[in-house]
Amino acid sequence: MSSITRSKSHVSALTSAINPLANPRGAKKQCELCQNHAHLQCTKCRVTFYCDTEHQQADWVGIHEKICQLLIPIRTATPFYSLQADRDHHCTQILHRQEELIEISRAVAQKKLFEGKYQESLPAAQLSLRCAMDVYGPSAVQLVPAYLLLAEANVGLGSLAQAEGYLSQAEWTVMKTPECSQTVRHQLHRNLGRLYTATENLEGALLHFANDVYYASEEYGLDNIVTCGGYFLMANVFIKQEKMDIASSLYTEVASTWHSHLTKLLETHTPGSMMLEHSFDEAQQAEADQMLRAMLKVQESNPKQAAAQNTLVAHSLAMLWFLGGSPDKALEFGRKALQSSQLVPDHSLTEHIQSLLQLAAERGPHLTIAS
């Protein structure tokens, strides 16, 4: 039985038909994804409903598996409390759970976007938006991150009109909120740049990416892993314009920033705490992997000319996966880094790469270092 078939079978086991007699008079259940009339419910939480098994499968894979139990207290009718203090305490608990739900759904959606899983990201992004509306109201600036996630997903799916709609809503919200943070502004311009790139308005894209870098550097600094995401996207536009020298320079900035960041993490790690949780989240790890792999692919077309750059990028990927607890991938990219470094006489990273390969081999005893 294939993994997809097993997944569908597992989800099917978690659904049951809605019993109309169990609903309050006049109450109609709506599908979690499309808001049409629902006929099925999740048998684990019993507070989430679907129009068909296809939408339940999409929601389970997209977000529901991670937040199923968290939804129960949020969507269950409020119990009767005779004391105001008890009512206030209950409301505070529900608010905290809603805020937690917003953060979880945002992180899941962002990770899937970095992995190129645009369709899978939609349920989490939609849930993030609905929860933010419940907590902050329909026109609050706190809704902007969810609009941007939905816009990015639709750009990836080629649904540019829908993406433009979400971005227009986000831009309008930011414009009427003078106190809006630099973080939100940089995220808005980054997504506008993506839309302009998709529509081949390359000069407009570069302008938005420049604003992205400006606002990100104001918040995080120029030599930061968040800011360098804008450099990476600008480089991709310059490649489209066949301005390879500029693109290569920006790639160097991105590679150097991530290499420096990962080197510091590796220098301070201890054998019992090699994971990335306290350094950056899964979405940032996915972003780093996506950017570094893309740069390596472009540069490997000319291995001798880009040997030093390839070494830097491959070594960064090796450190990323070693710290992420995947010694096999660390060995794979470490070997690429070592091979590239040998094309550059007296390369300064050769010794560091060999040390990392040794550490990775010790973490994965079934793997050996190629000579």
Side-chain angles (χ1 to χ4, degrees), residues 214-227:
Y214 169 75
Y215 287 118
S217 64
E218 286 286 296
E219 183 70 19
Y220 304 104
L222 276 172
D223 301 324
N224 186 273
I225 58 174
V226 175
T227 306

Side-chain angles (χ1 to χ4, degrees), residues 227-335:
T227 306
C228 75
Y231 291 137
F232 173 77
L233 293 168
M234 290 180 77
N236 292 342
V237 174
F238 283 119
I239 289 175
K240 284 178 173 285
Q241 294 179 330
E242 298 183 352
K243 297 178 180 179
M244 297 305 297
D245 288 347
I246 302 176
S248 178
S249 176
L250 290 168
Y251 274 175
T252 299
E253 184 68 29
V254 175
S256 297
T257 300
W258 271 105
H259 190 271
S260 175
H261 182 75
L262 292 164
T263 298
K264 290 175 183 176
L265 293 180
L266 190 62
E267 288 172 350
T268 57
H269 91 282
T270 59
S273 59
M274 293 184 177
M275 303 303 287
L276 289 169
E277 289 93 341
H278 303 299
S279 308
F280 42 84
D281 58 31
E282 286 186 346
Q284 288 176 314
Q285 182 181 1
E287 179 188 25
D289 184 54
Q290 181 257 334
M291 286 193 297
L292 294 168
R293 282 177 188 262
M295 289 190 293
L296 194 62
K297 184 177 180 180
V298 170
Q299 292 161 184
E300 281 181 339
S301 60
N302 195 346
K304 287 189 177 180
Q305 185 175 339
Q309 184 80 335
N310 286 346
T311 302
L312 197 68
V313 174
H315 187 212
S316 297
L317 280 162
M319 290 189 288
L320 179 75
W321 285 110
F322 176 73
L323 290 165
S326 296
D328 53 341
K329 289 187 177 181
L331 280 169
E332 174 192 346
F333 289 111
R335 288 166 180 156

Side-chain angles (χ1 to χ4, degrees), residues 120-197:
E120 280 189 23
S121 73
L122 287 175
Q126 290 168 348
L127 179 64
S128 176
L129 179 60
R130 290 198 305 273
C131 291
M133 285 182 172
D134 290 341
V135 173
Y136 304 110
S139 57
V141 72
Q142 288 87 349
L143 273 59
V144 171
Y147 285 133
L148 298 180
L149 291 170
L150 287 163
E152 186 176 347
N154 279 281
V155 168
L157 292 169
S159 303
L160 301 185
Q162 285 182 279
E164 189 172 2
Y166 286 122
L167 285 172
S168 295
Q169 187 66 46
E171 194 168 18
W172 168 246
T173 304
V174 169
M175 285 177 62
K176 65 185 182 68
T177 313
E179 69 276 13
C180 181
S181 70
Q182 308 282 41
T183 296
V184 170
R185 294 181 189 277
H186 105 73
Q187 291 172 344
L188 172 62
H189 284 286
R190 185 166 295 188
N191 279 278
L192 285 166
R194 288 191 177 105
L195 177 63
Y196 277 52
T197 302

